Amino acid sequence: AVHHGPAIAVTLNERLDYFGSTVNIAARLEKFGRGDDIIISETVYDAPEVAALLQRPQEFPAEPFREMLKGFDEECFALWRLRLKT
């Protein structure tokens, strides 16, 4: 799963770790994957580079769906499932 946005990076015990709602959203999107796909958020879907790829639906079909995510009460997220056509 892929999401984009600001995050806080902290080095603890010589290990870099990330925090914030962007990280939380990305972690929660993972459960919607089926193993042969990529789940992307609306933020990623709207990025110009991704939009260019999605202009080729024969190679990168995008199936939209909406889900509520744990910890984000009353907010329904627009998501897309991408599968590489083989």
Side-chain angles (χ1 to χ4, degrees), residues 40-80:
I40 62 172
S41 67
E42 187 169 28
T43 306
V44 174
Y45 182 85
D46 290 341
E49 298 87 353
V50 175
L53 284 175
L54 298 178
Q55 294 300 317
R56 302 186 333 235
Q58 68 281 4
E59 295 176 57
F60 299 99
E63 172 190 330
F65 65 102
R66 298 182 71 76
E67 290 288 343
M68 294 189 70
L69 303 179
K70 182 179 179 182
F72 295 89
D73 296 335
E74 304 300 321
E75 189 174 354
C76 196
F77 288 80
L79 306 170
W80 283 263

Side-chain angles (χ1 to χ4, degrees), residues 5-27:
I8 298 169
V10 177
T11 302
L12 297 171
N13 299 324
E14 299 181 22
R15 183 171 165 237
L16 186 61
D17 206 351
Y18 298 91
F19 299 91
S21 62
T22 298
V23 177
N24 292 338
I25 291 171

